[in-house]
Amino acid sequence: MLRGNRGDDVSGGRSDRPLSPYEPNALVAWIYRRFFENIEVDEAWTRAVRDADARGTVVYVLRNLSPVDFVALDYLTKRHGLPRIRFANDLGLWILEPIGGGWLNALRPRRPGGDVTDLEQVVSSGSSAALFLKRRPQMLANGARGRTEGDHLIRALFDVQRRSPGRVLLVPQVFVWSRSAGTRGGRVADAVFGPSEWPGNLRSAAQFLANWRHATLRSGEPIDLAEFLAREGDGTGDDVLVRRLTYTLLRRLERERRAIVGPTRKPVDRLRDDVIRSPKLQKIIADMAGEGAAERAVMTARAVAMLREMQAALDMTAIAALDQLVQQAAARMFSAVEIDEVGVDRLRELAKEGTLVFLPSHKSHMDYVLLAWILYRHKLPMPVIAAGDNLNFLPVGPILRRAGAFFIRRKFSGDRLYSAVVDAYVRRLLKDGSPLEFFLEGGRSRTGKLLPPKLGLLSLVVDAALGVPTRTTWFCPISIGYERFVEEKAFVREMTGGEKQKESVRGLVKSFDALVGRYGRLSVQFGKPLSLADVLRDVDAASHERDLASLTPPRRRAVITRLAYRVMNEINAVTAVTAGSLVATALLAHDKRGLPHANLVATCERLARTLRGRGARFSSSLVSADGRSDIRTVALEEAVDLFVRAGHVEAHRVGDDVIYVVPPDARLSLDLAKNVIIHFFAARALIATAVRALPGPPLAFTAVRERVLWMSRLFKYEFAFRADAPFETIFEQEIAALESEGELARVVLKPSEGATGLVPKGDDGREQIALYAHLIENAIEGYRIAARGLTALLRGPVASKDLIKRAMTGGERMFLAGEIARREAVSRPLLENAYTSFVDQGYLARDDGKLALNESYATASAVATIESRIVTATSPSP
């Protein structure tokens, strides 16, 4: 028991005053300041304790007995002016008390009632106490409950609350000294020193000394003891109430701890055994091997070998080492790292009860390490990460494996055993509550736009989540945005026809050059997490079907598809608009040789006006610090300078003006940055293209609608469009928004028939509509190139890869001849998407891995109509 400094009370008799707060001597106080001032304490903790103090008497509740936890809590409550602790049970801290007083207190005879008497005295007087619920079980303990639990103290609090008109607030407190979640298993060290999540005094001190610079304190949801007794105490004995309250407190304490370190992890070999024993996997092994024991043993050995090659070995020591390396690399590569702190707090709350599945966008190999670094720095549980087996090479593979990566093949649909092993592994991870991370796009985007979602791994995760109905699985969209792409050179080479380089040690050495480059700002934004119940409500809004597990296979596929596209839409919605993306878009969205500085700023402001209307998030560096949404010119200038130093922009000073020129070969690099935010403008760009802010008669409203509908189908693989409403609804909403913002106006074409047309409204409307139309001109020209390249199919089917090569040669010719104006239109991803769209349009058919013209388009004149149709639909009316 901590008796504290009790002044003149030396007789051992009971004092009418509460015990005084613990006051360490000067040396000990200096040590406390040295170590405990680094503990991470956020406003949520201080606010929770202050709110509880305003409602009644605060009792700080900690899980297991720990002197380190007590002195840290005592120091922090004093430092932040919170209720000071005047009692703590079962602590022998006399040696740390002021010289003289501590020794005297240690020699005093124990008073009748001991801890119970002191606790009642302190709390009855309205002072605060620290209550440790349990002691760590000892190897030689006799198992008596009273030696390991504070039941008698909780009963004392019941008595105080029943006698007092005030309220007693139990506020759970969790110190996290180690990021290790602990390992399940009977290790000798754990038996002697206690497991990492339930440490004895020696291990607790060792964890503190090893991690004092990165310790964390969290506060759980308080329990109002009066409300608890009123709700639970009707005819219920105190023994039952003690168990209920203890369970509730321990659960809230564990929720806070779990939100930081995640669930207790199994040793790698034990987890592997659990996966192999999976009934579903065992059934498939039996089906494939037959009845023979030898055959089943061979098949099991194959499964074990696959699992060994695949399995992650998350090591928090390795994560801590990587944290320092990534911190240094990020400081060199990025001018700033902007994190959505509100999103982080939301994930932390969800992690307390559910399992998090992180679904980030994928534009760089850096995504793996950067997101892990950010999660680690923000004290979120570290996930196990699905990575392609192309990254499993020395020395990268072992490093990533210890950082939590598990390696799977890019395609394994034809291998039944491998599919079953992956499925069993993912199921086991979800069942154990381990956070997961994988890239829904499958591979890295080479264009800056999100790729269509791949549903294979998502289907496995959804099925695994259904097997854990007692815990919600949260699918968490994350946007990772770069002002300049780290693999920019490699992407441009691939887009212009170069082959993708296989990951290797040689490539790793070359990539070190990227670590000394400058890539502007890194922005990580968290979208609204989704549960399966959320998606089911969307899909079956008109029905009463709410159980995903009971859905038919087609309906289940619909739910999984809906989930995938909602995640992708959410990633797009929360993608931050940076100065780099805004400047790149402005530099590419004009048809002049160069763009004066004033025009660049004006164009960026026009784009920002639209983005604000779309509810887009802006980089904190881009908008004014006073909370207004004005664009900061200095941020635009910094972005231009970033591109100038990269060789993507030439800045020509002419008199007092600066004119920016983008060399043709650099346009693809800027296009990567532009495409990060192009989805915000896609629908308006199609409307603007149909209207065309050029001389000529107004285009009828119905004609605009038909053109936009046709283009939305043509470019469905190119741009991300809304999928939450029918085309007609979305089209009407976009037109209404353009009208309300003063960019479009309706005019009467035929009064007798009530026909109307659409025209830009005034000079500002013409400029804005022209700007929208310029944003997708490269896509239109790319599809023209693809259409022109179809002449190669007049002689017969051609492999898609060869057709794209021929089309790119033709596109280069069209650019040099002046038929197209945008150098970035000659892009392999554009052509790939175009030919996929042409298949949907009925122009092409896939035949044994090759592309062939459908019979209706198998003539030169018919092929010419395809390009003509694109030109007609995207050109001004005659």
Side-chain angles (χ1 to χ4, degrees), residues 2 58-62 65 69-70 73-74 84-91 119 122-123 127-133 153 171 173:
L2 173 68
V58 171
V59 175
Y60 303 96
V61 180
L62 300 96
L65 188 65
D69 284 11
F70 166 74
L73 180 63
D74 181 68
R84 299 177 67 173
I85 302 170
R86 297 177 184 269
F87 168 88
N89 58 298
D90 296 314
L91 285 174
L119 178 62
V122 166
V123 177
S127 299
S128 292
L131 175 62
F132 294 97
L133 290 177
L153 298 175
V171 186
Q173 306 291 307

Side-chain angles (χ1 to χ4, degrees), residues 21 41-42 45-54 58 60 72-86 128 217:
V41 176
D42 58 18
W45 176 72
T46 56
R47 185 170 56 250
V49 177
R50 290 189 202 284
D51 290 347
D53 185 44
V58 171
Y60 303 96
L73 180 63
D74 181 68
Y75 172 80
L76 292 172
T77 52
K78 293 172 181 174
R79 173 183 166 188
H80 292 276
L82 299 173
R84 299 177 67 173
I85 302 170
R86 297 177 184 269
S128 292
L217 172 60

Side-chain angles (χ1 to χ4, degrees), residues 351-495:
K352 295 176 183 179
E353 289 290 352
T355 300
L356 303 183
V357 177
F358 299 106
L359 299 172
S361 58
H362 196 19
K363 298 181 175 69
S364 169
H365 282 318
M366 290 292 293
D367 297 338
Y368 295 96
V369 292
L370 288 173
L371 183 56
W373 172 62
I374 288 166
L375 296 176
Y376 180 79
R377 285 276 166 139
H378 284 77
K379 307 297 175 65
L380 284 167
M382 300 304 297
V384 177
I385 309 165
D389 62 353
N390 58 311
L391 296 177
N392 191 15
F393 64 91
L394 290 173
V396 173
I399 294 174
L400 292 180
R401 195 185 298 275
R402 289 170 68 83
F406 69 96
F407 300 99
I408 57 176
R409 301 171 190 169
R410 291 292 182 182
K411 296 181 180 180
F412 50 85
S413 57
D415 190 332
R416 188 183 179 195
L417 180 60
Y418 191 83
S419 298
V421 170
V422 175
D423 178 59
Y425 183 57
V426 170
R427 285 176 182 274
R428 173 48 57 182
L429 291 174
L430 262 292
K431 187 172 183 179
D432 290 344
S434 176
L436 291 179
E437 176 190 329
F438 64 95
F439 299 103
L440 199 49
E441 298 167 88
R444 290 172 297 163
S445 168
R446 265 68 173 174
T447 64
K449 293 177 282 192
L450 293 183
L451 300 174
K454 304 294 191 298
L455 304 183
L457 187 55
L458 180 64
S459 299
L460 294 183
V461 173
V462 168
D463 286 342
L466 294 175
V468 194
T470 58
R471 188 170 57 244
T472 302
T473 299
W474 293 99
F475 297 87
C476 310
I478 305 171
S479 170
I480 305 177
Y482 306 87
E483 285 195 286
R484 274 190 63 210
F485 281 51
V486 178
E487 292 99 325
E488 180 183 278
K489 292 181 180 178
F491 289 171
V492 170
R493 184 182 64 250
E494 292 176 30
M495 286 191 291

Side-chain angles (χ1 to χ4, degrees), residues 507-530:
L508 177 65
V509 173
K510 288 183 176 180
S511 69
F512 286 142
D513 292 340
L515 299 181
V516 297
R518 303 299 296 180
Y519 300 95
R521 291 177 178 264
L522 171 69
S523 175
V524 179
Q525 303 291 317
F526 297 90
K528 179 184 177 183
L530 303 166

Side-chain angles (χ1 to χ4, degrees), residues 677-712:
I677 60 172
I678 190 62
H679 57 276
F680 288 114
F681 301 99
R684 291 194 175 193
L686 294 187
I687 293 172
T689 300
V691 172
R692 298 301 297 223
L694 296 171
L699 196 62
F701 182 87
T702 54
V704 172
R705 183 176 56 213
E706 292 304 314
R707 282 191 177 191
V708 172
L709 177 60
W710 186 84
M711 284 190 290
S712 67

